Amino acid sequence: MKVRHIVSAANFDRQFISEIFNSATKVKKSPNDYKEKLTGKIMATLFYEPSTRTRLSFESAMLRLGGDVISTENASEFSSAAKGETLEDTIRVVNKYSDVIVLRHFTEGASKIASSYSDVPIINAGDGKGEHPTQALLDLFTIFSKFSTNKSGKQQLTVSMIGDLKNGRTIHSLAQLFSLYDNFKLIFVSPRVLAIPQSLRSSLIQKNVKFEETEDLNSALKSSDVIYQTRIQKERFKSNRSGESEYIKYLGRYIIDKKTLKIAKDSSIIMHPLPRVNEIKPEVDSDKRAVYFEQVENGIYVRMALLLYLFDKAY
Ligand code: NCD
């Protein structure tokens, strides 16, 4: 069945993912073939939380397809939300101006609500501590592109996901994508209080996903093929002194640096959705295993593929 809104990774299946990835691969190979595909279409980007990559990546994807973009980058302050307008009303109004809406909101579940008021596709570009499904797609696309060459068929891959797993929405979406395949083993590395949410844990158990949870980064690194580092989500801690000191406590806990590179497998890859604060040292950037800037590039192709899909223009 056609996915109409891109709201949660839980709505994706393997067939949808493979369709998007095939299309993204074609777009990557010859982007010029697609430069007029969405001429006349308008994308609205409505961002109530900060973003550099996701908003610009979507806008760039739309422009590369010949479409146009209208945007409010600080919707909490510069849109009518500041005057008390509800999200529902905003979505109804923006429906009249655009053919697709990319929404980043501080409330978990906001995109789902928006989709129930929208005739045009809603793309969830991050809903609070909830999900970030398009980031998960580009992450998985990057992983498949790095490990697909194995001649002996499907390779068993161990993935370590590190950091603020409680508040990190990229983790919540990506873990759900892994659960669709049987060749991933997941290791969640975090301080106990920042462990994955219970709802995600239950869903992984129910789907028989092989996973473990630990506080020990070094032991996880030794067996990992994919090292997925994340930021401690400062904005999700209480904005008072106790929140600040709690944040500082976890900030330096898990760092990828030259020393950790010695422990990690030579064939592994190191990923990060970015922005990074201090959790991957710049000295790692020149290592061949560091692929976080490749993720950024793949994000464009995957988002172009998603837009083509939503407008029935993929082939
Ligand atoms: C992530 C996000 O906003 O959730 N960034 C992104 O979109 N690439 C990760 C983060 O903010 O830590």
Side-chain angles (χ1 to χ4, degrees), residues 53-54 104 132 135 169-170 231 233 273-275:
R53 262 154 302 277
T54 307
R104 170 166 288 188
H132 197 342
Q135 178 71 40
R169 55 194 172 200
T170 66
R231 174 177 74 89
Q233 306 277 304
L274 302 177

Side-chain angles (χ1 to χ4, degrees), residues 6 43 58 100-103 111 121-125 134 307 310:
I6 309 295
M43 166 195 277
F58 266 112
V100 56
I101 298 173
V102 182
L103 176 67
S111 285
I122 296 286
I123 302 179
N124 180 3
T134 66
L307 291 169
L310 290 172

Side-chain angles (χ1 to χ4, degrees), residues 179-315:
S179 74
L180 296 171
Y181 304 85
D182 55 14
N183 59 320
F184 290 103
K185 183 186 165 216
L186 312 181
I187 308 178
F188 295 107
V189 184
S190 72
R192 211 162 277 167
V193 292
L194 298 181
I196 52 168
Q198 183 54 38
S199 54
L200 177 57
R201 191 177 293 116
S202 310
S203 140
L204 295 176
I205 292 170
Q206 200 210 343
K207 291 178 185 152
N208 284 324
V209 177
K210 293 181 249 64
F211 76 98
E212 59 188 75
E213 297 181 70
T214 175
E215 294 190 81
D216 182 1
L217 176 60
N218 282 352
S219 74
L221 285 175
K222 280 183 206 147
S223 62
S224 294
D225 302 294
V226 176
I227 298 161
Y228 191 97
Q229 174 70 307
T230 65
R231 174 177 74 89
I232 304 296
Q233 306 277 304
K234 184 177 186 203
E235 66 276 32
R236 312 285 176 219
F237 286 76
K238 279 192 219 90
S239 59
N240 58 24
R241 243 211 230 129
S242 77
E244 180 73 11
S245 65
E246 216 194 336
Y247 166 69
I248 303 280
K249 190 163 96 192
Y250 300 123
L251 193 58
R253 184 80 177 266
Y254 299 117
I255 307 278
I256 307 279
D257 58 12
K258 268 202 173 132
K259 270 185 267 155
T260 38
L261 282 178
K262 292 211 179 91
I263 305 171
K265 285 195 206 175
D266 199 42
S267 59
S268 63
I269 59 171
I270 300 166
M271 304 180 72
H272 194 302
L274 302 177
R276 64 175 151 177
V277 182
N278 67 342
E279 62 277 358
I280 299 184
K281 292 277 182 239
E283 64 203 31
V284 176
D285 298 356
S286 56
D287 192 279
K288 70 170 181 7
R289 290 167 284 184
V291 302
Y292 24 93
F293 294 111
E294 265 180 69
Q295 285 170 261
V296 174
E297 188 189 336
N298 286 334
I300 287 282
Y301 306 122
V302 168
R303 291 186 170 116
M304 286 170 80
L306 272 171
L307 291 169
L308 290 167
Y309 172 91
L310 290 172
F311 288 107
D312 291 319
K313 297 281 185 189
Y315 63 87

